[in-house]
Amino acid sequence: KQEVTQIPAALSVPEGENLVLNCSFTDSAIYNLQWFRQDPGKGLTSLLLIQSSQREQTSGRLNASLDKSSGRSTLYIAASQPGDSATYLCAVARGGGATNKLIFGTGTLLAVQP
Amino acid sequence: DAGVIQSPRHEVTEMGQEVTLRCKPISGHDYLFWYRQTMMRGLELLIYFNNNVPIDDSGMPEDRFSAKMPNASFSTLKIQPSEPRDSAVYFCASNRGGNQPQHFGDGTRLSIL
């Protein structure tokens, strides 16, 4: 059974700092891995999707990496801003016939202090 | 572009009542997903549809829960009868399938008293 873990559960950093959020998963047979952000009272917004054949994806100040063999992904946020404060969730899409089923981690609550 | 639209945003009702949650996916998206989010269990997939057909309902917790998708632009999730432990935020999401990200609605916050 696939399990997804995110560390740390919460993180507080001063504005401008570079930071790394971690995600680990137990079954390397994944279809893709996705990072989302969730603002209070809102749904999830997709940030980056890494296909199983890819090693990383970048969007603006965000960079996500994937190492299937070790069951790890990291989300790197450069030059953090108060607007980056949110909960960040990673999710893995299972392989085989269940490529659309996402298994979510419990999230990292990020606070960027001005 | 309109995103995924869910209604109502908030629902408070008494135990035993029927609850109906509604979702309009993004036009052109072939897949629709219903999720439930709680503090204890996080975000869980309940059921998903492809081209209006339920594909996997293994996450539906009990027979009290049912979901339908009568056409490509509308889906409902019903709970009958509702119980206090059903209190959660219910999300609907849609995508085009494959390696396409899922787009989420803002959710329905459900409270069963």
Side-chain angles (χ1 to χ4, degrees), chain A residues 60-114:
Chain A
R61 295 182 294 108
L62 305 180
N63 175 275
S65 67
L66 174 64
D67 183 344
K68 283 198 312 178
S69 61
S70 66
R72 295 179 188 273
S73 175
T74 61
L75 178 66
Y76 176 82
I77 302 177
S80 58
Q81 302 171 358
D84 295 330
S85 299
T87 297
Y88 289 80
L89 295 132
C90 73
V92 297
R94 293 168 57 182
T99 56
N100 265 294
K101 293 187 70 168
L102 289 180
I103 308 297
F104 280 86
T106 49
T108 294
L109 177 60
L110 173 65
V112 180
Q113 308 298 332

Side-chain angles (χ1 to χ4, degrees), chain A residues 31-34 36 38 40-46 49-52 89 94 97-106, chain B residues 9 31 33 35 37 41-45 48 55-56 58-59 91 95 97-107 109:
Chain A
Y31 187 65
N32 63 51
L33 184 143
Q34 300 178 42
F36 294 86
Q38 184 175 24
K42 295 288 189 179
L44 281 66
T45 300
S46 178
L49 183 151
I50 311 175
Q51 300 179 33
S52 62
L89 295 132
R94 293 168 57 182
T99 56
N100 265 294
K101 293 187 70 168
L102 289 180
I103 308 297
F104 280 86
T106 49
Chain B
R9 288 296 316 278
Y31 288 82
F33 308 84
Y35 291 90
Q37 187 176 40
R41 300 176 65 90
L43 200 61
E44 302 173 289
L45 177 66
Y48 78 92
I55 302 301
D56 188 330
S58 59
F91 288 104
N95 77 350
N99 276 308
Q100 297 298 314
Q102 293 185 17
H103 296 260
F104 281 70
D106 284 340
R109 182 171 295 275

